[in-house]
Amino acid sequence: MFRLSLHTVRFRWRAFAATFVAMFLAGAIMTAAGAMMETGLRAVLPAQRLDAAPILVAGNGEYEEAGSPVAHLSERVRVDASLADKVRSLPGVEKAVVDQSFAATALKGDRPVGKAEKSFGHGWDSAALMPYRLTEGKAPAGPGQVVLDSGIAKEAGAKTGDTIGVSLQGHTKQFTVTGVAAPSAEAVESSLFFSTAEAEKFAPAAGKADSIGLLTEPGTDLKALEQQVDRAIAGSGAITLTGDERGKAEYGDVDMTDLIVIAGLLGALALMVGILGVASTLSLSFQQRHKEMALLRAIGSTPRQLRRMIVGETVTISVLATALAAFPGLAAGKWLFDQLTATGIAPEGFVFYRGWLPTAIAVVVALLASGVAAIVAGRRSTLTKPAEALADDGGAKFRLGKVRPIIAVICFLLCAQLWYVALNLVTGPLIASPATFASIFFAIGLALLGPVIAKGLTAVLSPLLRAVSGLSGYLAALNTRARAVRMAAIVTPIMLLTGIATANLYLISTESSVKSVYTENLASDAVLRGGADGLAPGALEKVRALPEVGAASEFVASTGFIESPKDPWGNKDLEGWQFLGYTPEAAAKVGAADEVEGSLAAMKGNSVAIAEAFSKELKAGVGDSLTLRFGDGATEKLKIVALVKAKPSFETIMMPAGTLAQHTRSPLPSHIVVAPKAGADDTQLATALGTVAKQLPGTEVVDRDRLTDAFAHHLGAQALVSYLMIGTLLGYITISVMNTLWLAIRGRTREFGLQRLTGATRAQVLRMMAFEGGMTAGIGIFLGTLVAPMTLIPFSLARADSLTPTGPIWMYLATVGFAGLLTIGATLVPTWQALKVRPMEAALPA
């Protein structure tokens, strides 16, 4: 049977071509998603500045429960510098170099030079870890001396003997350039080197190191040495890193969870949308071959033989399509990965992995998906009795059967279950994942019932169309009613286009709007933001001295975890809780939060204020204590001194800014928030803060939205990624719509020929098809409009406490307009091409 189908391919190449395109695109997207997933799981981040050390001792950046990692800590985890003494004497170790890093930015006048956001100071000893080589001058030997990397020296126009300003610990300090050092490879960071004594003085945490690099003697057995190092540092909380894992020491606060989640979400969406798209194309293809199947049945073929032929055809096309999709799929994955790198979700220097595994998985998944889709789509053709099938027109008769309703009900129940998960079991932006898949399962349920729904909606719309459109509309209505089953296959991708686009666009706009909840209570929109090294302690007094300022507070943000009492929201471990630091006596005045019990002013030393919801869930109130794990891995016991109000999904844990800052990369506050004095407005405040900013290089005045970005920066990146995902999926769906309509309409060439022989003009046929396309688009848009709320309602309720999402109406209108124009355009173009055939030739049986 399969050989027979191959011999007859040339007579139905359109159907094969349409299936090939659908599978090619689905395979490319799945390969791209698989490559990104493998990249995130492998986490190959080669060391750069520390590359000369084959073994590194560093802090463990994973947050573990019961010995298993559950999340990534948000700050750099440091180790005791004294560990260098323990490993220095091990056989095979030539030198153990302590690396201490701190924010330090070279200045040309008041302008930062180099990679300002990635500019760090180090002790000169750590220059050997890349290594750096002096190209002029000498190493720094005492206070006030610095060696610049060649990139900074070139940009600043500095040479040996010059004096250069360096933004360090919130102040500008002057240093003499004693030398210029060139890295052995292109550097991701800008580096300034100080004497060992000064580096220890500038280091954020005394007695702590970012890492310890071991330079080994020639011929050393690295595996054996690694085991010895493990034994030497046992119990210290440090870990030993070799090979590509050494990048974890250099990029200690890098978390690949977002990349893995994004890749998984894209892959799952692509799989579901791809299956629906391929199933729609196959369903239409087999409907057009209905009589061919009937003839095969009439000459003795069994349903089993026909199913084997159908699956064989489809799987063969799938293998070819997905194999050819491998290269463009990997290219698309690399492009998406580059966009993630540009947004900061994936770190610069991370290696995109082009392995065979994603392609193999994509091929296997495509084969399984296409095989299942072929069996489902071709089931009617293989089971229909030969005589009945030969008399059937392929569209008017349809029996829903027993299986479709059962599977549809299961999909609707899964949709309801995902609603429950979104509303009760997850918090924060994570709500988007179950909410998105709720709409997908709802769409699958509608697609399974598509022929019945299409027939019912066509019956409702047909009288309206006849009333307003004359003869062309009357014929269009008759055609759509007669082809309700075939139209259901066309409606499915239009429904997905409308539903997925609307849901994701409003999901992004809703998330972008609610993130302002973090700062909506602040008394002023004017905020003073420090540079990469933070704001010097004296900055707060300068701001408080301004006549326009009524109150001012330092501000620090990080994330961490509740160690005890036990965190009742175990799922929150994926991203941690938001920790915010304020100056206690000014916290309430600047609008940090509304107090319910206790006082924010009582946050002295090791004390916290928690959301009222936390208090109820943890069964801990004012006077009780919490044990918290900070972003740098340290744990502390803090006393609860106040309860505050907070919206669900936006709860925070507040503490003194000084307490929290000690557990961040820089021990200095990153922002100062203010409250105006009576009679002053935000404009006056911003102008006044500008005078302070001019005194502190690298400092600027920003608004509260920029403040939100300080501790919700991932939201902007996620929005961009979401747009990329929407664009990728909608590109596929758009092509799927065009593909399906092309297949459907090119199969009606004979019908158009007969209409023209009976007197219809080309314009009349085109007008009739325009009305058909409009009705098809209307039904698809209507169903898509039903699908979108399956994502938006649970997300909006859980995230914004509102039934309706936030966002302009034009986004929905633009989506609907695009879907309508696409459908009508994709209907008229192949119709116009079909009408080029002479009526007599077109009317001949195929």
Side-chain angles (χ1 to χ4, degrees), residues 86-99:
K86 292 186 176 183
V87 298
R88 187 174 285 121
S89 58
L90 293 176
V93 176
E94 180 181 301
K95 192 175 183 181
V97 180
V98 175
D99 178 44

Side-chain angles (χ1 to χ4, degrees), residues 1-19 285-286 288-289 292-293 296 309-310 313 317 742-743:
M1 295 296 293
F2 179 57
R3 186 180 301 173
L4 176 64
S5 70
L6 290 180
H7 283 304
T8 59
V9 165
R10 67 180 183 274
F11 299 109
R12 38 191 163 79
W13 63 269
R14 292 190 181 92
F16 276 81
T19 304
S285 172
F286 293 139
Q288 293 181 346
R289 295 171 60 187
E292 173 193 333
M293 301 294 181
L296 290 173
M309 182 187 76
I310 288 172
E313 289 176 0
I317 296 172
W742 175 81
L743 177 61

